[in-house]
Amino acid sequence: MAANNSDSIQEELGEGGVGVKHEAEEEAEGAPSSAAQATATTMLPRSSSRPQLDLSGAAIHGTLEDRNPTILLPNQSDDISHLALDIGGSLIKLVYFSRHAELSTEDKRKISTKRRLGMFNGGRRSYPILGGRLHFVKFETGKLNECLDFISSKQLLRGVVSGVDSPSWRSGAQPDNIVIKATGGGAYKYADLFKERLGVSLEKEDEMDCLVSGANFLLKAIRHEAFTHMDGHKEYVQIDQNDLFPFLLVNVGSGVSIIKVDGHGKFQRVSGTNVGGGTYWGLGRLMTKCKSFDELLELSQRGDNSTIDMLVGDIYGGLDYSKIGLSASTIASSFGKTISENKELSDYRPEDISLSLLRMISYNIGQISYLNALRYGLKRIFFGGFFIRGHAYTMDTISFAVNFWSKGEAQAMFLRHEGFLGALGAFMSYEKHGLDDLRVHHLVERFPMGAPYVGGKIHGPPLGDLNAKISWMEKFVQKGTQIIAPVPMGVPATTGMGGFERPTSKGDILRSDASAALNVGVLHLVPTLDVFPLLEDPKTYEPNTIDLDQDEFKYWFKVLSDHLPDLVDKAVASEGGTDDAERRGDAFVHAFSAHLARLMEEPAAYGKFGLANLLELREECLREFQFVDAYISIKQRENEASLAVLPDLLMELDTMNEEARLLALIEGVLAANIFDWGSRACVELYHKGTIIEIYRMSRKKMQRPWRIDDFDMFKKRMLTDRKDQPYKRALLFVDNSGADVVLGMLPLARELLRHGTEVVLVANSLPALNDVTANELPEIIAEASKHCGILRKAAEAGGLLVDAMAGIQDDLKDAPESVPLMVVENGCGSPCIDFRQVSSELAAAAKDADLLILEGMGRALHTNLNARFKCDALKLAMVKNQRLAEKLFNGNIYDCICKFEPIS
Ligand SMILES: CC(C)(COP(=O)(O)O)[C@@H](O)C(=O)NCCC(=O)O
Ligand SMILES: [Mn+2]
């Protein structure tokens, strides 16, 4: 039976603790020193893959009372590379790309590591675009001027190519030479206006071509793009790239196009119908006086179509027509009831009219689509176009029709970027931009603050200007409940038509498009992210260990909400505790809480969401409000304190024999993993002792067997079975700063180096809680190297000590060549790691690795506990959460996990 550390750890610190306040805690409560501040800003450059847009001067147009205020961003200064348009009958869809700032100059360490890893001339495709964001914006065609203003005010033409195939990424071409890609009928109709107003020519792209290439791109490059929607339940569909074609693509715009897609560029428009979104909007506008499509759609939510539609029951005196399987509530004839009643239009409720119209048109589209799928023997139908708008009833109705008539054989699927297929296709048609070769892991979806809180109309990308963002947040706080609360709806009594039963939608949880707008974030193009090559099977790999079902989500919602006050205190202090920092802190709390509330209401709102995503979302929100590194001073304090005792620890270890030392090293890693500022229980412990006291106590409690204890197996591999064949290269995924890395992982790295194993320390690219980052490691290693020849030689060999050791006397000149110690960044800014998206540096380092050591709860328990690799893997962590310990191991908080998974 595994030992239970929990009581003893609490007791030891509760009673035995000397009552000295944790040093880092003191620092965190006050403003950090200016030195700490300076380091915070100089040591941690913003990630090249996650830049901030400079959108100063952004203004919300309209009053605080507006539900959907227009936002104009006049001084957009990003280097916009491409812009493409789909000008439809009702809406103009605009897709544009903003390129990231130049990558910062590589430092010596990185260059040296890359050389060593053979990363130069690595044969990687080089993208003309190094990284950036794809933005999605829409305008009503009737308000074309707004679109033109938007393009010119945001200088979207600055980087557009002149001469389509020779992109000039930087300079603005003379307006007369500018050509932009456009599709849809408006590309013809409004060509002169574009020339006149903006001086640009529209290069027309075939609409069907664009729809298909847009859909193919989305299905290929975005992980959770397609989903089913039945009975109010949304489920993301994993698309197998090798089994995508053929499918039916139904684009429901003003009219409807039905296209059979057989491959990239291989398709045929097989049918269509003139009864589409334009019909709904046009008839609806005439009949209800609604001012916008969204208003009409929202009206339908409160409608009851039985007052307008003729039902089977109306004909059969309230009875079913059971002989042909029609229940009394089936719609026999849309709008049929109105012929027998002596009523005027004004006698009908606009809500009911809107719902009858919506049902009529959705069923019709579903039915025609099904018939075409039947015609060609297709099982999958993807629906796109702005008619759908993420509207639950529309999707349910279409799905119901497809399912009913095909008797479950065919499946209706929807796309999150449904309205932008044509515009994306036009965008893709620019040649040589390199986007055609993107894969799922190259696009990361983020949810910057601008995106979540718009009710459909944001004219521009997410707010990049901090002030605008905060005002937006403050505004959101006032409007928040309105936006995030479920839309109250009555369950309509009847819906079917021509043989359809009504969908059994859970009416009260369905919602309008207002918040479905959330589902489209901004796609970040991150061409440097790779699939980790040592994953045994990337296709079946699932990073998250536990499923965030409703219950689980509720629990983590509470954990993260409870942690917020403490986190925001630290974050504000890390930025000097100024008024500005306070204001940003408030905005951060509201933003993160709003995301949590949104997810609580609809867990699938942002695609398939696991605990790793939730923890990353918190970090993203902090970054969104420019909290660069909330735990910076805590990390520095803990590093200093740990480095001070490292020489003693190393000396003690060196007195042991190999076996005892290996055990002490693994114990050391597990014990030091207690320094985790993301765990509530641990943070409470820190009040009860100094860093060193807690570390000593934690070590003392390391009784074996641990909850999972494969140490003997690991020891056998290291010291007995293949002692003469040491591992060639070990990747050590390090976790927290301070004792965790200094007293835990570094001594273990040293031991591996001693065995002749090259060691690559893999650390976060961006800060997350108190995790150590790749930028911070070289300095820590340089400090540690002052007291340890093994580390020093290896660090020198790994190019880590370029300048840091200047002035230190060289007593190792004659020592033999050492295997190198290197540092690479993992590409993440989260406490967890998703091995489908890692930095190219890490992917290159993995090439010759035959041992992985994953450390910490985030990387080895929340994610990757069940991940299988192509080489030996050792997973080490202390479980610092009672519920997780019970759930995963039937154990207790502070249990330790040492899981060794050799490949043979
Ligand atoms: C955020 C963490 C995954 C970090 O753990 P680590 O990887 O540093 O070991 C962990 O602290 C955690 O799951 N915390 C939340 C649960 C809690 O407060 O108990
Ligand atoms: Mn951590």
Side-chain angles (χ1 to χ4, degrees):
M1 184 60 198
N4 173 8
N5 283 334
S6 85
D7 294 345
S8 42
I9 284 185
Q10 311 269 22
E11 270 164 33
E12 181 90 4
L13 287 169
E15 290 152 27
V18 290
V20 179
K21 209 168 189 201
H22 190 255
E23 295 159 57
E25 182 77 335
E26 270 170 11
E27 174 74 19
E29 280 168 8
S33 65
S34 52
Q37 277 292 294
T39 327
T41 43
T42 53
M43 269 185 57
L44 295 158
R46 223 158 258 299
S47 150
S48 55
S49 64
R50 287 159 201 186
Q52 300 292 313
L53 296 172
D54 175 11
L55 303 177
S56 55
I60 296 177
H61 281 224
T63 66
L64 283 181
E65 281 63 49
D66 284 350
R67 169 108 193 230
N68 302 318
T70 296
I71 297 171
L72 287 172
L73 304 161
N75 300 326
Q76 162 69 31
S77 62
D78 251 9
D79 191 356
I80 303 297
S81 302
H82 277 303
L83 144 76
L85 292 160
D86 173 4
I87 311 178
S90 318
L91 291 169
I92 302 174
K93 283 75 65 176
L94 195 156
V95 171
Y96 71 91
F97 185 82
S98 61
R99 196 172 160 277
H100 287 177
E102 278 301 309
L103 295 175
S104 61
T105 344
E106 297 268 15
D107 61 24
K108 289 178 189 165
R109 193 263 313 164
K110 274 192 177 168
I111 291 172
S112 139
T113 308
K114 284 190 171 180
R115 234 178 234 128
R116 235 161 279 275
L117 296 172
M119 273 190 63
F120 291 112
N121 308 319
R124 286 177 51 75
R125 173 175 178 149
S126 81
Y127 290 86
I129 298 170
L130 291 174
R133 298 173 174 189
L134 276 180
H135 303 264
F136 303 85
V137 194
K138 64 177 165 144
F139 302 87
E140 281 179 32
T141 309
K143 296 177 184 163
L144 179 67
N145 279 338
E146 278 186 13
C147 173
L148 296 170
D149 288 346
F150 175 76
I151 294 171
S152 64
S153 70
K154 286 170 55 53
Q155 303 174 37
L156 288 183
L157 301 169
R158 270 192 327 144
V160 171
V161 294
S162 67
V164 177
D165 292 342
S166 55
S168 71
W169 297 100
R170 292 300 164 74
S171 58
Q174 288 307 305
D176 281 351
N177 298 333
I178 291 177
V179 177
I180 54 178
K181 299 277 196 176
T183 189
Y188 296 85
K189 190 170 168 187
Y190 300 114
D192 291 346
L193 200 62
F194 271 79
K195 188 79 190 168
E196 203 179 291
R197 283 279 315 271
L198 301 176
V200 300
S201 309
L202 297 184
E203 172 147 322
K204 287 102 185 157
E205 289 293 322
D206 176 72
E207 197 169 343
M208 295 305 123
D209 259 335
C210 289
L211 285 176
V212 171
S213 69
N216 284 346
F217 168 77
L218 288 169
L219 290 169
K220 189 179 77 164
I222 299 169
R223 203 185 301 285
H224 296 126
E225 180 60 30
F227 60 92
T228 57
H229 206 289
M230 286 280 270
D231 299 338
H233 178 71
K234 179 177 187 175
E235 194 157 326
Y236 287 94
V237 182
Q238 194 75 38
I239 303 287
D240 179 352
Q241 293 305 313
N242 302 317
D243 186 27
L244 174 61
F245 305 110
F247 61 81
L248 199 68
L249 176 63
V250 181
N251 191 62
V252 193
S254 302
V256 182
S257 285
I258 301 182
I259 306 162
K260 175 175 178 270
V261 184
D262 292 302
H264 293 288
K266 285 206 288 194
F267 64 88
Q268 191 191 349
R269 186 180 192 272
V270 292
S271 191
T273 161
N274 50 348
V275 180
T279 319
Y280 173 57
W281 173 207
L283 283 175
R285 202 176 71 87
L286 290 175
M287 295 166 82
T288 67
K289 306 271 182 296
C290 273
K291 292 277 178 297
S292 74
F293 189 102
D294 287 325
E295 193 187 336
L296 181 67
L297 203 55
E298 204 166 310
L299 214 56
S300 74
Q301 308 248 118
R302 299 188 293 275
D304 173 3
N305 62 314
S306 69
T307 62
I308 292 182
D309 293 339
M310 184 186 289
L311 311 180
V312 166
D314 295 329
I315 304 170
Y316 282 77
L319 300 174
D320 294 349
Y321 183 5
S322 43
K323 200 169 151 198
I324 56 168
L326 301 180
S327 76
S329 62
T330 303
I331 298 177
S333 168
S334 284
F335 284 83
K337 197 172 269 178
T338 62
I339 51 176
S340 56
E341 292 174 327
N342 197 14
K343 286 187 187 169
E344 295 302 313
L345 183 58
S346 54
D347 295 328
Y348 293 98
R349 291 187 341 133
E351 291 87 339
D352 301 346
I353 294 172
S354 178
L355 186 61
S356 291
L357 268 177
L358 184 68
R359 292 274 147 74
M360 179 176 85
I361 290 162
S362 302
Y363 278 133
N364 196 51
I365 292 168
Q367 186 166 12
I368 294 174
S369 304
Y370 155 72
L371 288 171
N372 278 287
L374 184 70
R375 211 171 134 203
Y376 295 100
L378 304 175
K379 301 261 179 283
R380 277 171 304 190
I381 312 176
F382 291 102
F383 289 87
F386 254 124
F387 171 69
I388 296 169
R389 296 191 180 208
H391 191 260
Y393 255 117
T394 307
M395 294 188 287
D396 266 10
T397 308
I398 291 175
S399 300
F400 181 81
V402 170
N403 188 56
F404 180 90
W405 287 111
S406 73
K407 299 196 168 55
E409 286 285 299
Q411 198 175 30
M413 283 178 271
F414 303 91
L415 301 171
R416 298 171 71 207
H417 295 83
E418 59 194 13
F420 291 96
L421 304 188
L424 258 174
F427 184 83
M428 303 303 297
S429 71
Y430 286 106
E431 285 170 32
K432 295 184 185 166
H433 54 26
L435 291 173
D436 49 334
D437 204 27
L438 290 177
R439 291 280 176 273
V440 161
H441 54 276
H442 289 143
L443 284 165
V444 179
E445 197 164 359
R446 302 278 164 217
F447 301 93
M449 295 313 116
Y453 310 115
V454 297
K457 263 190 204 160
I458 175 165
H459 287 194
L463 302 170
D465 175 73
L466 191 58
N467 243 319
K469 224 181 267 179
I470 296 171
S471 326
W472 182 253
M473 221 42 250
E474 287 164 353
K475 178 179 166 58
F476 170 70
V477 173
Q478 296 173 25
K479 305 290 272 181
T481 44
Q482 186 186 328
I483 295 168
I484 58 172
V487 178
M489 291 176 43
V491 183
T494 137
T495 61
M497 185 188 94
F500 295 120
E501 295 301 315
R502 79 177 147 94
T504 50
S505 296
K506 299 175 199 91
D508 53 340
I509 62 155
L510 297 178
R511 49 183 312 119
S512 79
D513 175 62
S515 58
L518 274 173
N519 290 357
V520 181
V522 174
L523 294 178
H524 288 229
L525 175 64
V526 193
T528 51
L529 289 185
D530 281 323
V531 174
F532 188 59
L534 291 173
L535 269 183
E536 190 184 79
D537 182 5
K539 276 210 183 93
T540 54
Y541 169 75
E542 165 57 53
N544 290 291
T545 305
I546 47 169
D547 241 12
L548 266 196
D549 57 25
Q550 196 74 34
D551 250 18
E552 203 61 34
F553 185 79
K554 261 193 202 141
Y555 171 75
W556 287 99
F557 177 96
K558 184 164 168 21
V559 167
L560 296 182
S561 304
D562 289 352
H563 190 209
L564 262 180
D566 187 49
L567 173 61
V568 78
D569 278 359
K570 302 265 185 308
V572 171
S574 77
E575 295 282 320
T578 58
D579 287 352
D580 168 65
E582 292 273 359
R583 197 166 157 247
R584 284 189 279 138
D586 281 350
F588 156 70
V589 171
H590 290 307
F592 184 55
S593 310
H595 278 296
L596 287 180
R598 173 77 179 99
L599 283 161
M600 183 81 140
E601 190 197 330
E602 194 192 340
Y606 302 161
K608 197 160 173 258
F609 221 70
L611 186 53
N613 310 87
L614 205 53
L615 291 169
E616 183 170 19
L617 179 66
R618 178 170 66 179
E619 303 299 330
E620 285 284 326
C621 283
L622 279 169
R623 288 190 273 274
E624 194 72 33
F625 292 97
Q626 291 183 12
F627 290 107
V628 179
D629 191 351
Y631 287 83
I632 181 77
S633 47
I634 289 178
K635 295 198 298 183
Q636 284 169 347
R637 277 296 181 106
E638 295 196 352
N639 286 342
E640 272 166 35
S642 309
L643 282 163
V645 297
L646 180 67
D648 286 349
L649 175 68
L650 296 182
M651 245 160 43
E652 192 186 317
L653 285 166
D654 288 347
T655 62
M656 300 176 184
N657 66 37
E658 242 183 358
E659 276 197 22
R661 190 163 66 229
L662 190 62
L663 177 59
L665 285 164
I666 299 296
E667 271 178 4
V669 170
L670 294 171
N673 193 233
I674 202 166
F675 291 98
D676 167 9
W677 284 85
S679 152
R680 196 170 184 87
C682 291
V683 172
E684 271 160 31
L685 288 180
Y686 306 153
H687 293 281
K688 299 175 181 164
T690 64
I691 296 164
I692 301 311
E693 284 164 354
I694 292 165
Y695 170 71
R696 290 217 178 94
M697 172 280 309
S698 184
R699 279 206 71 145
K700 237 170 63 196
K701 301 293 165 192
M702 283 289 119
Q703 296 130 347
R704 293 182 62 202
W706 299 310
R707 188 60 64 173
I708 292 183
D709 193 338
D710 294 338
F711 173 75
D712 292 338
M713 213 193 332
F714 180 61
K715 183 178 80 179
K716 201 155 160 279
R717 163 63 185 88
M718 288 285 289
L719 305 180
T720 318
D721 289 355
R722 300 218 302 247
K723 192 168 176 9
D724 51 339
Q725 280 176 279
Y727 286 111
K728 228 171 128 233
R729 178 184 287 173
L731 304 185
L732 272 57
F733 290 78
V734 296
D735 180 6
N736 303 319
S737 301
D740 198 13
V741 65
V742 175
L743 305 180
M745 290 299 265
L746 271 188
L748 180 61
R750 175 178 178 261
E751 189 68 11
L752 288 161
L753 292 165
R754 218 180 209 160
H755 283 248
T757 302
E758 285 181 15
V759 175
V760 181
L761 297 178
V762 185
N764 262 19
S765 300
L766 289 173
L769 292 165
N770 61 322
D771 289 358
V772 69
T773 66
N775 271 331
E776 294 160 347
L777 269 178
E779 211 173 295
I780 294 171
I781 293 168
E783 262 323 290
S785 296
K786 286 180 184 165
H787 312 284
C788 170
I790 300 172
L791 285 176
R792 184 175 161 197
K793 267 280 160 197
E796 262 174 7
L800 281 173
L801 305 180
V802 187
D803 297 322
M805 300 301 285
I808 293 172
Q809 70 178 71
D810 194 348
D811 53 359
L812 290 163
K813 267 205 183 88
D814 302 325
E817 245 324 275
S818 169
V819 284
L821 170 65
M822 292 170 273
V823 170
V824 302
E825 60 177 320
N826 59 13
C828 316
S830 150
C832 301
I833 187 163
D834 178 342
F835 277 108
R836 292 170 302 197
Q837 295 182 320
V838 302
S839 72
S840 51
E841 233 182 329
L842 172 53
K847 220 171 26 156
D848 298 320
D850 46 4
L851 174 65
L852 304 182
I853 302 185
L854 298 181
E855 192 233 343
M857 207 165 142
R859 292 168 190 82
L861 299 185
H862 287 325
T863 51
N864 304 308
L865 182 64
N866 303 318
R868 310 287 309 182
F869 297 96
K870 287 181 191 157
C871 67
D872 290 5
L874 180 65
K875 298 168 183 171
L876 298 171
M878 180 188 270
V879 197
K880 291 152 291 190
N881 174 281
Q882 180 63 29
R883 182 180 159 112
L884 194 78
E886 284 169 23
K887 195 170 171 102
L888 291 182
F889 310 109
N890 206 11
N892 283 301
I893 189 165
Y894 306 122
D895 278 354
C896 287
I897 305 303
C898 171
K899 192 175 182 195
F900 182 53
E901 295 163 324
I903 46 165
S904 56

